Amino acid sequence: MTEDLDHRFSSLTWDQIKILDQVLAEVIPIHGRGNFPTLDVKPKDIIHVVKEQLIEKQINVRDIRLNGSTASHILVKQNGTSYKDLDIIFGVELPSELEFQVVKEAVLNCLLDFLPKCVNKEKITAQTMKDAYVQKMVKVSTDHDRWSLISLSNNSGKNVELKFVNSLRRQFEFSVDSFQIILDSILNVYRATDCKLTADSHPTVIAESMYGDFNEAMDHLKYKLISTRNPEEIRGGGLLKYSNLLVRDFKPADEAEIKSLERYMCSRFFIDFPDVAEQQRKIESYLRNHFIGEEKSKYDYLMTLRGVVNESTVCLMGHERRQTLNMITILALKVLGEQNIIPNAANVTCYYQPAPYISDRNFSNYYIAHGQPPVIYQPYPFHIQMQSGMV
């Protein structure tokens, strides 16, 4: 291993291995649609049966990794880092479309093993299992990226996401979610009947930071700092994740650099989602997937996102920018309505269209409340101006 590569890796401590073991042994319900029963799945079990099925189908498995927020939670639990999706990466060879299909069928067939024993499995097809238990499936096949994703449904948002990666240029958004824990050594222990995990007898488990410098990324995670590289390479620019980190009290590692990075984030987001309807669908999807059980944080998130877009968007025409800002504002007001929350009237300014018979040039059609920075409501056209970027 070269010196440069050494900086990317670190061994887990015994305490971290214990948390990893708890995560892999936790029973996660995979909820079925309609009358299909709930599957009780331990990550270590589904990883094993999927791997065995792939090997049987002659799909080469390089390694298996735990990725993203779950890995971050294991490495630094004490700073309150939480995780929802369980993101498991199988490093595989996918040279042709045939292998993509083999991987999909292997996973769906594996789910049959987790059905209750009383269920007659003979007439249940792979398509039936897909319709019953898969939340989403993604396949990417380009010159630089070849991978697929199968996400298994969980009603509380803790989806089991199985990703099969031949190649993927960009595997992280920010340094704090750049960690991958290589699971092969601990999986071997689970398969060996005579081996147990103890402080004196446990395998060496390696973690890698895809950000590059493991210790630097760990400092960012411990002290809740935001840093990334080349956000223009990330689909969506990392804009939605960045706003989420801000809401969770993460701070930029470099205040001077972050403003430049924000502009790249916004530019890439609007390149990938140029239409305001696409932008809205993407934001609403992000809210559904990342704020389950955190409904009260949605408004703060949307207004934080709005502030970043307002301050750092340089690639849109004026009317396009206003459309996006208005769309985010409407989503924020919708969230307030769903939570039955009425904004403090002392901080709200209402603009209205004067009646046509009011011709006095000195007629004042607005009132600005004193105190905190106001929310300005103007229905003609609908627009809210955040003077500080936040409410």
Side-chain angles (χ1 to χ4, degrees), residues 133-156:
Y133 294 106
V134 174
Q135 185 194 48
K136 66 178 177 181
M137 300 183 74
V138 178
K139 183 178 79 171
V140 175
S141 179
T142 67
D143 291 340
H144 300 286
D145 297 325
R146 292 184 65 81
W147 57 273
S148 66
L149 169 72
I150 300 176
S151 179
L152 306 179
S153 302
N154 175 276
N155 293 344
S156 64

Side-chain angles (χ1 to χ4, degrees), residues 50 53-60 93-94 96-110 126 139 148 150 164:
V50 169
Q53 186 76 218
L54 293 176
I55 293 173
E56 184 180 319
K57 300 293 184 181
Q58 298 185 328
I59 300 290
N60 181 39
E93 301 296 329
L94 301 170
S96 71
E97 292 303 306
L98 175 63
E99 283 73 22
F100 278 101
Q101 186 64 27
V102 168
V103 165
K104 182 178 79 170
E105 291 178 357
V107 173
L108 296 175
N109 288 332
C110 286
K139 183 178 79 171
S148 66
I150 300 176
F164 302 88

Side-chain angles (χ1 to χ4, degrees), residues 266 270-271 274 279 309 313-322 324:
C266 290
F270 293 118
I271 289 171
Q279 297 162 18
V309 171
T313 299
V314 295
C315 61
L316 297 183
M317 301 287 286
H319 72 281
E320 294 173 324
R321 182 171 165 276
R322 285 191 295 272
T324 298

